[in-house]
Amino acid sequence: MSNFNSFPGGWRIIDDALSKWNLNKWTIKESLPILHEKFGIPLFFKISVKDRDTAPYGKIISISEGDFGLPHKDLYLIDESSEIIQSYLELLANVFKLFDRTSEEAKKFAKIIYNYEKRIVKDAYYLNKEIPSSGEIIQLGRLVQEVSSLGVYDTIKVVFSKTRLPDSADIWVEDLEKLKEVSRIVSSTEASVLNDIVAWSIIRNLLPYLSKDFQNIRAQFYYDMYHIDTLEPIWYKCTETVNSFVPVGIEVLRLQNQPRLQTSIQSKEYIQSIFDQIKESINSEINDAIWISEGLSKYLMDNVSKMTIQIGVPETVIRDERFLESYYSEYLPQTISFVENVEQLWVFEKTIMEKQLGELTEKDELMYEMFPVSRTKFTAVRYSSNLNKLLIQDNLLRHNYFDTEIPLSINFARIGTDIAEALIEAVQTLSHRYSNDVRSSKPLPYGAIIESQTTKCLKLPKPLGILPIDAQRTQLISLSAVKLTKTALIQVLHKLKKQEIDVFQYFGHHLTNGDFQRLPSLRKYDAHQLFDLTLMQRHCSYANIKYKRLKPFIENVLSEDRRFENLWNNVRVLRKDFDCSSQKTVKCENIL
């Protein structure tokens, strides 16, 4: 901390003589651009690039919610006496003690940080909570005027230093009203408190890479919060860190040096056929959905029909020996102090983001879409709206997860539902594009706005009395994906009986030898039941009670037992396959 000389005024939490703390020299407006530029730490707001949902499309700079010390902002709404909040306060105090502060000083510091983060959440992020914003595009000049105390203009300028950004440049803002409220709160806060907030944001982002004393504190926090006895072993931590820092390098080198890992042509054709069948199923559902307007329905079906698929890293990249040299030309690994790699990684990520704002070769654009910057949530199957293409990672097709020789039902329950979930996400993205273009159509209800009527119908559980909107959205998508995949499988089995050429050439061998490739104990189940068993097996897991309650706030999904129960109760065809259809089911509206 004392070596971060680029922050004027020093740090209050460090001994005054070391940090040269000077209240008169330190301002949040000067510090935020440095924080975002050097570390990419999203304090108060996050800067990134996203797909633009309006013409001329392409990529656009985005401003969205910042992050906090607790795993999810909704956790600041629970009672302070809860074990979760007390564990967080203890973490804060223990970290502060390592800066040679007394227990009383440490407790005071912890309360300052927690109370301020809670104030931001309650007064800004839950402003008009019942009407979530779907984002808007505004000019940079106006944004600067609206949130003047946050230094947004200088921050955008230093993060995208090689891009010309006049005041008329378009910026996508997730929720302008919330951002304005954050700006108001920051402008009325003492500089000493803001200095502590900035210092804590740096420490918690570097915490996984710091010394043993910090690791012990982190381990205690994990035990208190999740009842996890030990942190990951050092070898696992190292390999995971390298994988998250340079995923493109790892994957391309693996494929160049072990060609057998490349997805075979037969596997690609097989997956292409699954993809085509699920697209057909989705278009049929869209066409039959009376709650989707005629114009939106036509737009969605047209784009889904034209959608293509990319399976694995393109051959042109694997064969290009200079690709990695070019891709990582501005990444300089540090060998003396590992923590400095975090800063270097962000420098590299900024470069990648900035390149996406300009003209790209088809190869580069595909790789940037397939491997987003490391701080973006990784998904093995994802949709690129700019390419109108579904992207599937090679590694999803390894480790016995997928095989053309295993029964068809198992592949549909695994890779099929993964594809269907990505396609539902794609339909949601496309509906936003349509509504933005015509200005008269409401987007489908899988996005930011979750209809209370739908969630009540589904009876989604609320651990801790709250269920984050993203977790609700994930469950809605999962329900649709299972239903659509099962419908597609039923259609494929029907076509196989009639030996229709579009599926028989890829799946026909399952008619003759599929049953004999099963374990004897599974041969009594038909294709529909095998799909159901494989699907529900994905939600069989053990998790301690503490983590089950927190999973929706950490991973944005329900705990596996709740997902299992919710699928079983709301996808009627699953129970019907096992003659369990006597249970009453309420059909929920507005879900594909």
Side-chain angles (χ1 to χ4, degrees):
M1 295 294 290
S2 58
N3 287 336
F4 293 152
N5 296 321
S6 53
F7 287 90
W11 306 105
R12 192 169 73 116
I13 66 168
I14 304 177
D15 181 82
D16 293 346
L18 288 174
S19 70
K20 300 175 184 176
W21 163 242
N22 188 327
L23 176 62
N24 297 321
K25 287 185 178 180
W26 194 90
T27 66
I28 188 67
K29 200 170 180 179
E30 287 184 60
S31 296
L32 280 176
I34 300 170
L35 189 69
H36 282 265
E37 179 197 13
K38 289 180 72 68
F39 301 103
I41 294 174
L43 180 61
F44 300 137
F45 59 91
K46 178 182 179 181
I47 293 181
S48 58
V49 295
K50 69 177 291 288
D51 291 343
R52 182 169 180 154
D53 290 336
T54 57
Y57 304 118
K59 295 289 185 181
I60 187 171
I61 297 172
S62 76
I63 305 290
S64 54
E65 288 183 0
D67 65 1
F68 298 93
L70 284 171
H72 196 284
K73 65 179 186 291
D74 283 0
L75 292 175
Y76 289 92
L77 303 179
I78 65 176
D79 193 87
E80 188 175 330
S81 62
S82 72
E83 191 175 3
I84 294 168
I85 303 303
Q86 291 303 308
S87 298
Y88 182 52
L89 288 169
E90 187 175 350
L91 169 72
L92 287 162
N94 286 337
V95 166
F96 197 56
K97 286 177 186 176
L98 293 180
F99 289 85
D100 294 328
R101 299 292 177 167
T102 66
S103 293
E104 286 304 311
E105 288 176 323
K107 289 179 181 178
K108 184 179 178 182
F109 168 79
K111 291 288 286 185
I112 287 173
I113 299 298
Y114 168 72
N115 286 333
Y116 195 76
E117 291 178 338
K118 183 176 181 178
R119 181 187 174 194
I120 293 285
V121 169
K122 296 192 77 172
D123 293 353
Y125 288 169
Y126 282 86
L127 180 73
N128 297 325
K129 182 178 181 289
E130 296 303 317
I131 314 173
S133 170
S134 57
E136 61 181 300
I137 294 175
I138 64 176
Q139 292 188 337
L140 177 58
R142 180 193 162 198
L143 179 63
V144 174
Q145 295 172 1
E146 298 278 15
V147 291
S148 57
S149 67
L150 296 180
V152 171
Y153 182 84
D154 291 334
T155 303
I156 291 176
K157 287 286 188 178
V158 295
V159 170
F160 300 99
S161 57
K162 297 179 182 178
T163 303
R164 181 179 173 274
L165 293 169
D167 286 354
S168 59
D170 285 341
I171 308 292
W172 183 86
V173 181
E174 183 179 50
D175 194 317
L176 181 59
E177 292 305 312
K178 290 179 181 178
L179 194 62
K180 285 163 65 175
E181 189 62 19
V182 172
S183 178
R184 186 195 65 76
I185 294 170
V186 169
S187 66
S188 62
T189 304
E190 293 179 9
S192 57
V193 173
L194 290 172
N195 184 273
D196 290 343
I197 295 292
V198 173
W200 169 237
S201 71
I202 295 174
I203 294 166
R204 64 181 166 81
N205 276 275
L206 298 182
L207 203 57
Y209 314 108
L210 297 181
S211 61
K212 186 176 180 180
D213 288 341
F214 287 94
Q215 293 308 310
N216 290 339
I217 291 172
R218 181 168 167 256
Q220 184 62 46
F221 175 66
Y222 270 65
Y223 179 79
D224 292 341
M225 282 282 283
Y226 316 130
H227 211 66
I228 297 174
D229 294 330
T230 56
L231 293 180
E232 63 274 9
I234 191 66
W235 64 265
Y236 180 83
K237 181 179 175 181
C238 287
T239 53
E240 285 297 293
T241 300
V242 172
N243 267 308
S244 66
F245 275 31
V246 286
V248 176
I250 295 294
E251 184 65 10
V252 173
L253 284 174
R254 181 186 286 137
L255 294 173
Q256 286 178 344
N257 289 287
Q258 296 178 282
R260 64 182 178 80
L261 294 178
Q262 296 178 33
T263 306
S264 68
I265 294 176
Q266 180 188 10
S267 293
K268 289 182 178 180
E269 291 177 342
Y270 189 103
I271 293 170
Q272 175 73 53
S273 188
I274 292 178
F275 172 66
D276 290 339
Q277 298 306 313
I278 295 175
K279 281 202 308 179
E280 186 178 309
S281 176
I282 285 180
N283 271 348
S284 176
E285 286 290 327
I286 292 171
N287 186 58
D288 294 341
I290 59 174
W291 46 275
I292 300 179
S293 69
E294 184 178 350
L296 174 58
S297 178
K298 185 177 183 304
Y299 177 85
L300 291 175
M301 289 191 292
D302 185 51
N303 278 276
V304 168
S305 298
K306 293 177 181 177
M307 196 184 302
T308 58
I309 191 171
Q310 171 65 44
I311 303 167
V313 176
E315 282 287 331
T316 53
V317 171
I318 298 173
R319 291 196 300 266
D320 186 351
E321 295 181 359
R322 302 195 64 181
F323 174 79
L324 289 181
E325 182 183 343
S326 171
Y327 188 88
Y328 288 107
S329 61
E330 298 192 45
Y331 180 51
L332 303 173
Q334 304 298 300
T335 57
I336 298 175
S337 172
F338 183 82
V339 175
E340 292 178 7
N341 280 289
V342 180
E343 186 177 339
Q344 278 298 317
L345 177 67
W346 173 241
V347 171
F348 170 68
E349 289 179 358
K350 283 193 302 180
T351 302
I352 296 295
M353 287 199 305
E354 193 155 20
K355 284 182 177 179
Q356 291 181 76
L357 295 175
E359 295 293 326
L360 294 174
T361 65
E362 184 178 346
K363 186 194 304 182
D364 283 340
E365 185 173 10
L366 189 56
M367 290 302 287
Y368 292 153
E369 292 286 343
M370 184 168 280
F371 294 91
V373 291
S374 66
R375 301 184 195 204
T376 305
K377 185 179 178 182
F378 177 82
T379 50
V381 184
R382 63 193 307 270
Y383 172 66
S384 166
S385 59
N386 288 329
L387 300 173
N388 196 27
K389 189 184 290 282
L390 206 69
L391 310 172
I392 299 181
Q393 298 276 3
D394 274 300
N395 57 15
L396 188 66
L397 310 180
R398 302 177 194 141
H399 310 301
N400 299 322
Y401 186 72
F402 163 82
D403 195 307
T404 57
E405 297 303 315
I406 64 176
L408 177 68
S409 300
I410 294 178
N411 284 326
F412 264 80
R414 291 177 179 171
I415 191 75
T417 52
D418 292 333
I419 289 172
E421 286 183 3
L423 283 170
I424 294 293
E425 294 263 19
V427 167
Q428 173 60 30
T429 299
L430 291 168
S431 76
H432 273 288
R433 282 199 168 189
Y434 180 81
S435 64
N436 287 333
D437 286 344
V438 303
R439 302 288 178 186
S440 63
S441 175
K442 179 182 175 183
L444 300 183
Y446 298 93
I449 300 174
I450 300 291
E451 294 186 352
S452 59
Q453 178 184 348
T454 302
T455 50
K456 284 179 182 177
C457 175
L458 293 174
K459 296 181 180 178
L460 298 177
K462 295 185 177 181
L464 306 176
I466 311 166
L467 184 63
I469 284 180
D470 285 340
Q472 297 179 38
R473 176 177 177 272
T474 301
Q475 191 61 19
L476 287 173
I477 289 172
S478 180
L479 286 170
S480 287
V482 169
K483 179 186 174 186
L484 292 167
T485 308
K486 186 62 184 282
T487 300
L489 175 64
I490 292 170
Q491 292 170 346
V492 166
L493 293 173
H494 179 71
K495 290 178 179 180
L496 281 175
K497 282 186 178 181
K498 297 172 65 176
Q499 297 191 12
E500 292 184 16
I501 189 65
D502 63 330
V503 297
F504 193 79
Q505 60 181 322
Y506 302 117
F507 306 135
H509 65 286
H510 290 284
L511 289 178
T512 55
N513 61 7
D515 285 341
F516 296 100
Q517 293 173 348
R518 304 184 195 176
L519 293 171
S521 59
L522 293 178
R523 290 176 188 168
K524 63 181 179 180
Y525 299 113
D526 63 26
H528 301 287
Q529 293 172 329
L530 196 57
F531 172 92
D532 303 342
L533 288 171
T534 305
L535 175 75
M536 304 313 275
Q537 180 194 38
R538 300 180 67 176
H539 302 298
C540 294
S541 69
Y542 169 79
N544 63 67
I545 294 174
K546 280 189 175 181
Y547 190 77
K548 281 169 61 174
R549 290 186 305 153
L550 287 170
K551 188 170 182 176
F553 303 93
I554 298 169
E555 301 181 36
N556 288 325
V557 294
L558 300 176
S559 60
E560 296 305 326
D561 57 343
R562 295 303 184 193
R563 296 181 74 185
F564 186 111
E565 182 181 349
N566 201 255
L567 283 171
W568 186 255
N569 289 335
N570 288 288
V571 184
R572 288 174 293 175
V573 68
L574 300 179
R575 296 200 311 278
K576 186 178 179 182
D577 290 339
F578 284 92
D579 197 24
C580 301
S581 56
S582 58
Q583 182 177 342
K584 291 183 179 180
T585 303
V586 178
K587 180 174 174 57
C588 300
E589 301 299 326
N590 296 1
I591 304 178
L592 286 177

